[in-house]
């Protein structure tokens, strides 16, 4: 969640006028909420500045996920970043990535297996606690992962600024072969793989006014 303040991530590496770059890598992923509030002309200028900042980054693959503050019909012609507004599954640098942009409803199809899951909203109950104590994560997303047989190894998200951090979790239960006993056939629960949930929000608590985790 950069909300128009993306230059704060890199300007201290050079100076206030130079865009600067993040550390190099195979993939750069923005988990959503890059747009600013205000008049349309202000938004257009900020969108162009964000695209220019993306273009300055050295990563071969750039993915931007739609957040709840972001419009649908946008493109990034300078950076060629892929803007994801619908559930999408990619393979990048031999890594399977599932991307679930902001949505208020249930997934229309079962979650496909992936090593890395990216969403704007965190799962319900994990890295989703607001400053007022409410839990604002998505039950729909959590349920989808719990129903998925193959769990993602890492789940990247944002949205709740004050819950930035990481947490290792297990989602749902899986079952192995049955065996027969005095009470009949039973199922033996296998250990569920752990998923590392990372809330990578950068902005201050509440309404974004600056980045506090550059």
């Amino acid at each position: 969640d950069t909300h128009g303040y993306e230059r704060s991530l890199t300007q201290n590496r050079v100076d206030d006028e130079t865009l600067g770059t993040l550390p190099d890598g195979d993939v750069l992923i923005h988990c959503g909420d890059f747009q600013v509030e205000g008049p349309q002309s202000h938004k257009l200028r900020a969108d162009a500045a964000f695209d220019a900042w993306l273009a300055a980054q050295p990563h071969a693959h750039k993915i931007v996920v739609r957040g709840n503050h972001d419009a649908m019909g946008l493109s990034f012609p300078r950076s060629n970043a892929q803007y994801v507004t619908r559930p999408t599954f990619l393979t990048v640098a031999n890594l399977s990535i599932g991307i679930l942009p902001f949505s208020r409803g249930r997934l229309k199809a079962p979650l496909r297996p992936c090593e890395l899951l990216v969403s704007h909203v965190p799962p319900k109950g994990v890295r989703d606690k607001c400053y007022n104590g409410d839990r604002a994560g998505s039950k729909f997303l959590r349920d989808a992962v719990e129903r998925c047989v193959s769990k993602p190894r890492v789940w990247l998200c944002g949205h709740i600024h004050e819950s930035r951090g990481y947490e290792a979790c297990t989602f749902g239960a899986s079952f192995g072969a049955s065996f027969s006993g005095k009470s009949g056939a039973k199922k033996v629960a296998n250990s569920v793989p752990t998923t590392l949930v990372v809330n990578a929000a950068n902005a201050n608590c509440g309404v974004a006014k600056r980045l506090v985790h550059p």
Side-chain angles (χ1 to χ4, degrees):
D1 298 50
T2 51
H3 295 275
Y5 300 107
E6 62 278 344
R7 288 181 59 155
S8 298
L9 297 172
T10 53
Q11 66 183 14
N12 60 348
R13 298 174 184 273
V14 187
D15 55 55
D16 289 345
E17 299 302 323
T18 305
L19 289 176
T21 59
L22 296 168
D24 197 1
D26 293 319
V27 188
L28 172 61
I29 299 176
H30 192 294
C31 294
D33 279 0
F34 58 87
Q35 279 202 300
V36 301
E37 301 296 329
Q40 185 65 15
S41 59
H42 180 50
K43 288 185 176 182
L44 291 174
R45 288 194 299 270
D47 292 346
F50 179 59
D51 189 20
W53 180 83
L54 287 172
Q57 306 313 311
H59 309 76
H61 304 277
K62 299 166 186 177
I63 300 171
V64 178
V65 182
R66 178 179 176 260
N68 58 301
H69 287 279
D70 304 328
M72 290 287 289
L74 300 175
S75 63
F76 302 104
R78 290 188 62 179
S79 64
N80 290 318
Q82 181 173 355
Y83 184 40
V84 181
T85 60
R86 293 177 175 81
T88 301
F89 292 86
L90 308 169
T91 299
V92 180
N94 294 319
L95 179 69
S96 58
I97 306 175
I99 306 173
L100 304 175
F102 177 75
S103 174
R104 299 188 186 278
R106 297 178 181 274
L107 297 180
K108 294 181 179 180
L111 182 66
R112 290 167 51 183
C114 58
E115 297 170 277
L116 172 63
L117 180 63
V118 183
S119 65
H120 177 61
V121 180
K124 189 73 172 181
V126 183
R127 310 311 307 180
D128 69 335
K129 192 173 183 179
C130 301
Y131 60 85
N132 62 1
D134 289 347
R135 293 284 189 174
S138 171
K139 183 179 184 300
F140 296 142
L141 295 183
R142 178 166 187 148
D143 288 349
V145 173
E146 289 184 344
R147 290 194 300 268
C148 189
V149 175
S150 179
K151 313 298 182 185
R153 296 171 60 186
V154 178
W155 186 342
L156 300 181
C157 59
H159 187 50
I160 309 301
H161 305 164
E162 47 269 43
S163 279
R164 174 186 169 90
Y166 60 89
E167 187 174 338
C169 303
T170 54
F171 294 100
S174 60
F175 293 90
S178 299
F179 72 94
S180 297
K182 292 182 179 180
S183 58
K186 296 181 180 179
K187 289 184 176 180
V188 181
N190 294 328
S191 59
V192 180
T194 299
T195 298
L196 180 65
V197 179
V198 181
N199 182 326
N202 298 102
N204 60 280
C205 296
V207 179
K209 297 180 180 179
R210 64 190 184 281
L211 300 191
V212 294
H213 300 287

